[in-house]
Amino acid sequence: MRLTRYTDLALRAVMRLAVVDGEQLLTTRQIADTMNVPYTHMAKAVTQLQHLGVVEARRGRGGGLALTTTGRTARVGELIRTLEGDREAIVCEGDTPCPLAGSCQLRRALRQAQEAFYDSMNAMTVAELVTAPTGPVLLALGAPPG
């Protein structure tokens, strides 16, 4: 299964926030810069994560983003499913609908494979995504050169 760039950015943001201690807050700009992606794209992903209750934004001086408890314990497969919109792997309807749509084995097999992917990803929480070796690498990305 191929994830959209949007989902990729959202997952990167969640992973980056998962490795900082609870006292440290990061800005969307810091995450975008660390992940080497455009700020506007990261901002859209972070906004969606806020709406999902995965990320909390604190305003004002000393504000920033923090991963919520819900975000830390979120199952990766369900997060991906939500971000991707749980759409079909192939589209059989539309301007030129497939004549096999009502009896297609391929569509059913692809849907089963998609569910297997989500189930496999649900074996991990966001917190588990950032265990070694990933976590230390994420922390090093945000460290000033020294």
Side-chain angles (χ1 to χ4, degrees), residues 1 3 76-78 80-82 84-87 111 113-123:
M1 182 172 162
L3 301 180
V76 177
E78 287 306 312
I80 292 171
R81 183 190 305 265
T82 301
E84 288 287 312
D86 196 26
R87 63 182 185 275
R111 186 61 179 178
Q114 187 176 27
E115 288 301 319
F117 169 78
Y118 290 136
D119 288 344
S120 174
M121 295 305 296
N122 274 335

mmCIF file of all heavy atoms in Angstrom, residues 1 3 76-78 80-82 84-87 111 113-123:
data_model
loop_
_atom_site.group_PDB
_atom_site.id
_atom_site.type_symbol
_atom_site.label_atom_id
_atom_site.label_comp_id
_atom_site.label_asym_id
_atom_site.label_seq_id
_atom_site.Cartn_x
_atom_site.Cartn_y
_atom_site.Cartn_z
ATOM 1 N N MET A 1 0.842 -1.171 0.000
ATOM 2 C CA MET A 1 0.000 0.000 0.000
ATOM 3 C C MET A 1 0.891 1.238 0.000
ATOM 4 O O MET A 1 1.865 1.301 0.736
ATOM 5 C CB MET A 1 -0.899 -0.009 1.227
ATOM 6 C CG MET A 1 -1.841 1.138 1.270
ATOM 7 S SD MET A 1 -3.017 0.949 2.605
ATOM 8 C CE MET A 1 -3.561 2.613 2.709
ATOM 9 N N LEU A 3 1.258 5.160 0.846
ATOM 10 C CA LEU A 3 0.659 6.232 1.628
ATOM 11 C C LEU A 3 0.807 7.556 0.894
ATOM 12 O O LEU A 3 1.778 7.774 0.174
ATOM 13 C CB LEU A 3 1.328 6.333 2.994
ATOM 14 C CG LEU A 3 1.279 5.087 3.866
ATOM 15 C CD1 LEU A 3 1.990 5.357 5.181
ATOM 16 C CD2 LEU A 3 -0.137 4.639 4.107
ATOM 17 N N VAL A 76 -0.936 2.680 15.159
ATOM 18 C CA VAL A 76 -0.444 3.257 13.912
ATOM 19 C C VAL A 76 -1.398 2.959 12.750
ATOM 20 O O VAL A 76 -1.684 3.829 11.933
ATOM 21 C CB VAL A 76 0.987 2.776 13.611
ATOM 22 C CG1 VAL A 76 1.477 3.317 12.283
ATOM 23 C CG2 VAL A 76 1.927 3.190 14.741
ATOM 24 N N GLY A 77 -1.926 1.754 12.688
ATOM 25 C CA GLY A 77 -2.838 1.390 11.605
ATOM 26 C C GLY A 77 -4.099 2.244 11.596
ATOM 27 O O GLY A 77 -4.558 2.686 10.531
ATOM 28 N N GLU A 78 -4.663 2.487 12.774
ATOM 29 C CA GLU A 78 -5.875 3.316 12.841
ATOM 30 C C GLU A 78 -5.570 4.767 12.499
ATOM 31 O O GLU A 78 -6.383 5.449 11.870
ATOM 32 C CB GLU A 78 -6.532 3.208 14.217
ATOM 33 C CG GLU A 78 -7.230 1.885 14.447
ATOM 34 C CD GLU A 78 -8.244 1.547 13.351
ATOM 35 O OE1 GLU A 78 -9.073 2.407 12.994
ATOM 36 O OE2 GLU A 78 -8.189 0.414 12.836
ATOM 37 N N ILE A 80 -3.205 5.759 10.435
ATOM 38 C CA ILE A 80 -3.040 5.777 8.976
ATOM 39 C C ILE A 80 -4.407 5.701 8.290
ATOM 40 O O ILE A 80 -4.680 6.444 7.351
ATOM 41 C CB ILE A 80 -2.120 4.626 8.505
ATOM 42 C CG1 ILE A 80 -0.689 4.869 8.974
ATOM 43 C CG2 ILE A 80 -2.175 4.474 6.979
ATOM 44 C CD1 ILE A 80 0.242 3.693 8.750
ATOM 45 N N ARG A 81 -5.257 4.811 8.751
ATOM 46 C CA ARG A 81 -6.589 4.666 8.161
ATOM 47 C C ARG A 81 -7.351 5.993 8.214
ATOM 48 O O ARG A 81 -7.957 6.411 7.238
ATOM 49 C CB ARG A 81 -7.383 3.586 8.889
ATOM 50 C CG ARG A 81 -8.761 3.328 8.289
ATOM 51 C CD ARG A 81 -9.624 2.426 9.168
ATOM 52 N NE ARG A 81 -9.051 1.162 9.506
ATOM 53 C CZ ARG A 81 -9.275 0.026 8.849
ATOM 54 N NH1 ARG A 81 -10.069 0.019 7.798
ATOM 55 N NH2 ARG A 81 -8.721 -1.100 9.260
ATOM 56 N N THR A 82 -7.268 6.678 9.332
ATOM 57 C CA THR A 82 -7.959 7.958 9.486
ATOM 58 C C THR A 82 -7.351 9.014 8.567
ATOM 59 O O THR A 82 -8.084 9.743 7.884
ATOM 60 C CB THR A 82 -7.899 8.430 10.951
ATOM 61 O OG1 THR A 82 -8.503 7.433 11.773
ATOM 62 C CG2 THR A 82 -8.607 9.749 11.136
ATOM 63 N N GLU A 84 -5.619 8.579 5.831
ATOM 64 C CA GLU A 84 -5.797 8.207 4.426
ATOM 65 C C GLU A 84 -7.269 8.258 4.000
ATOM 66 O O GLU A 84 -7.569 8.226 2.815
ATOM 67 C CB GLU A 84 -5.245 6.802 4.168
ATOM 68 C CG GLU A 84 -3.751 6.715 4.194
ATOM 69 C CD GLU A 84 -3.095 7.339 2.987
ATOM 70 O OE1 GLU A 84 -3.510 7.062 1.850
ATOM 71 O OE2 GLU A 84 -2.154 8.121 3.177
ATOM 72 N N GLY A 85 -8.170 8.279 4.962
ATOM 73 C CA GLY A 85 -9.583 8.330 4.624
ATOM 74 C C GLY A 85 -10.187 6.972 4.312
ATOM 75 O O GLY A 85 -11.290 6.885 3.792
ATOM 76 N N ASP A 86 -9.486 5.896 4.613
ATOM 77 C CA ASP A 86 -9.977 4.534 4.413
ATOM 78 C C ASP A 86 -10.615 4.334 3.041
ATOM 79 O O ASP A 86 -11.683 3.767 2.894
ATOM 80 C CB ASP A 86 -10.968 4.159 5.517
ATOM 81 C CG ASP A 86 -11.192 2.650 5.587
ATOM 82 O OD1 ASP A 86 -10.288 1.896 5.178
ATOM 83 O OD2 ASP A 86 -12.262 2.233 6.029
ATOM 84 N N ARG A 87 -9.929 4.826 2.039
ATOM 85 C CA ARG A 87 -10.461 4.687 0.676
ATOM 86 C C ARG A 87 -10.072 3.345 0.078
ATOM 87 O O ARG A 87 -9.136 2.696 0.532
ATOM 88 C CB ARG A 87 -9.990 5.833 -0.201
ATOM 89 C CG ARG A 87 -8.491 5.892 -0.390
ATOM 90 C CD ARG A 87 -8.094 7.100 -1.233
ATOM 91 N NE ARG A 87 -6.686 7.097 -1.504
ATOM 92 C CZ ARG A 87 -5.772 7.585 -0.707
ATOM 93 N NH1 ARG A 87 -6.122 8.137 0.416
ATOM 94 N NH2 ARG A 87 -4.503 7.530 -1.030
ATOM 95 N N ARG A 111 -9.003 -5.287 -1.060
ATOM 96 C CA ARG A 111 -9.578 -4.790 0.203
ATOM 97 C C ARG A 111 -9.081 -5.646 1.375
ATOM 98 O O ARG A 111 -8.754 -5.125 2.434
ATOM 99 C CB ARG A 111 -11.105 -4.780 0.128
ATOM 100 C CG ARG A 111 -11.771 -4.156 1.326
ATOM 101 C CD ARG A 111 -11.354 -2.711 1.479
ATOM 102 N NE ARG A 111 -12.016 -2.119 2.634
ATOM 103 C CZ ARG A 111 -11.830 -0.909 3.042
ATOM 104 N NH1 ARG A 111 -11.012 -0.111 2.397
ATOM 105 N NH2 ARG A 111 -12.440 -0.439 4.086
ATOM 106 N N ALA A 113 -6.255 -7.291 1.478
ATOM 107 C CA ALA A 113 -4.838 -6.951 1.657
ATOM 108 C C ALA A 113 -4.695 -5.623 2.400
ATOM 109 O O ALA A 113 -3.832 -5.474 3.269
ATOM 110 C CB ALA A 113 -4.134 -6.880 0.305
ATOM 111 N N GLN A 114 -5.555 -4.676 2.076
ATOM 112 C CA GLN A 114 -5.539 -3.378 2.740
ATOM 113 C C GLN A 114 -5.858 -3.553 4.227
ATOM 114 O O GLN A 114 -5.187 -2.967 5.085
ATOM 115 C CB GLN A 114 -6.562 -2.464 2.066
ATOM 116 C CG GLN A 114 -6.542 -1.042 2.529
ATOM 117 C CD GLN A 114 -7.524 -0.181 1.733
ATOM 118 O OE1 GLN A 114 -8.528 -0.667 1.224
ATOM 119 N NE2 GLN A 114 -7.227 1.089 1.633
ATOM 120 N N GLU A 115 -6.837 -4.367 4.547
ATOM 121 C CA GLU A 115 -7.183 -4.631 5.952
ATOM 122 C C GLU A 115 -6.036 -5.331 6.670
ATOM 123 O O GLU A 115 -5.757 -5.036 7.828
ATOM 124 C CB GLU A 115 -8.469 -5.455 6.050
ATOM 125 C CG GLU A 115 -9.721 -4.676 5.702
ATOM 126 C CD GLU A 115 -9.938 -3.461 6.579
ATOM 127 O OE1 GLU A 115 -9.717 -3.529 7.819
ATOM 128 O OE2 GLU A 115 -10.323 -2.403 6.027
ATOM 129 N N ALA A 116 -5.355 -6.235 5.977
ATOM 130 C CA ALA A 116 -4.199 -6.918 6.568
ATOM 131 C C ALA A 116 -3.085 -5.915 6.875
ATOM 132 O O ALA A 116 -2.404 -6.016 7.906
ATOM 133 C CB ALA A 116 -3.698 -8.023 5.634
ATOM 134 N N PHE A 117 -2.906 -4.946 5.978
ATOM 135 C CA PHE A 117 -1.909 -3.890 6.202
ATOM 136 C C PHE A 117 -2.252 -3.107 7.472
ATOM 137 O O PHE A 117 -1.397 -2.912 8.343
ATOM 138 C CB PHE A 117 -1.861 -2.956 4.990
ATOM 139 C CG PHE A 117 -1.066 -1.703 5.228
ATOM 140 C CD1 PHE A 117 0.311 -1.717 5.195
ATOM 141 C CD2 PHE A 117 -1.713 -0.499 5.481
ATOM 142 C CE1 PHE A 117 1.043 -0.563 5.420
ATOM 143 C CE2 PHE A 117 -0.994 0.658 5.705
ATOM 144 C CZ PHE A 117 0.389 0.630 5.679
ATOM 145 N N TYR A 118 -3.500 -2.650 7.587
ATOM 146 C CA TYR A 118 -3.909 -1.893 8.776
ATOM 147 C C TYR A 118 -3.753 -2.739 10.043
ATOM 148 O O TYR A 118 -3.278 -2.251 11.070
ATOM 149 C CB TYR A 118 -5.349 -1.405 8.650
ATOM 150 C CG TYR A 118 -5.552 -0.326 7.624
ATOM 151 C CD1 TYR A 118 -6.623 -0.374 6.742
ATOM 152 C CD2 TYR A 118 -4.693 0.759 7.534
ATOM 153 C CE1 TYR A 118 -6.830 0.632 5.794
ATOM 154 C CE2 TYR A 118 -4.881 1.760 6.593
ATOM 155 C CZ TYR A 118 -5.953 1.687 5.735
ATOM 156 O OH TYR A 118 -6.150 2.678 4.803
ATOM 157 N N ASP A 119 -4.153 -4.005 9.976
ATOM 158 C CA ASP A 119 -4.012 -4.883 11.140
ATOM 159 C C ASP A 119 -2.550 -5.028 11.544
ATOM 160 O O ASP A 119 -2.220 -5.003 12.731
ATOM 161 C CB ASP A 119 -4.609 -6.260 10.850
ATOM 162 C CG ASP A 119 -6.128 -6.251 10.787
ATOM 163 O OD1 ASP A 119 -6.751 -5.263 11.249
ATOM 164 O OD2 ASP A 119 -6.697 -7.223 10.261
ATOM 165 N N SER A 120 -1.687 -5.182 10.553
ATOM 166 C CA SER A 120 -0.259 -5.301 10.825
ATOM 167 C C SER A 120 0.286 -4.036 11.486
ATOM 168 O O SER A 120 1.053 -4.100 12.456
ATOM 169 C CB SER A 120 0.490 -5.581 9.522
ATOM 170 O OG SER A 120 1.878 -5.575 9.729
ATOM 171 N N MET A 121 -0.110 -2.894 10.974
ATOM 172 C CA MET A 121 0.353 -1.625 11.538
ATOM 173 C C MET A 121 -0.253 -1.361 12.918
ATOM 174 O O MET A 121 0.341 -0.648 13.732
ATOM 175 C CB MET A 121 0.027 -0.467 10.591
ATOM 176 C CG MET A 121 0.765 -0.535 9.263
ATOM 177 S SD MET A 121 2.566 -0.640 9.414
ATOM 178 C CE MET A 121 2.966 0.919 10.163
ATOM 179 N N ASN A 122 -1.409 -1.938 13.202
ATOM 180 C CA ASN A 122 -2.031 -1.775 14.513
ATOM 181 C C ASN A 122 -1.290 -2.522 15.614
ATOM 182 O O ASN A 122 -1.566 -2.319 16.791
ATOM 183 C CB ASN A 122 -3.494 -2.205 14.483
ATOM 184 C CG ASN A 122 -4.396 -1.089 14.040
ATOM 185 O OD1 ASN A 122 -4.065 0.095 14.177
ATOM 186 N ND2 ASN A 122 -5.541 -1.440 13.495
ATOM 187 N N ALA A 123 -0.346 -3.359 15.245
ATOM 188 C CA ALA A 123 0.460 -4.053 16.249
ATOM 189 C C ALA A 123 1.387 -3.077 16.972
ATOM 190 O O ALA A 123 1.942 -3.405 18.018
ATOM 191 C CB ALA A 123 1.275 -5.168 15.591
#
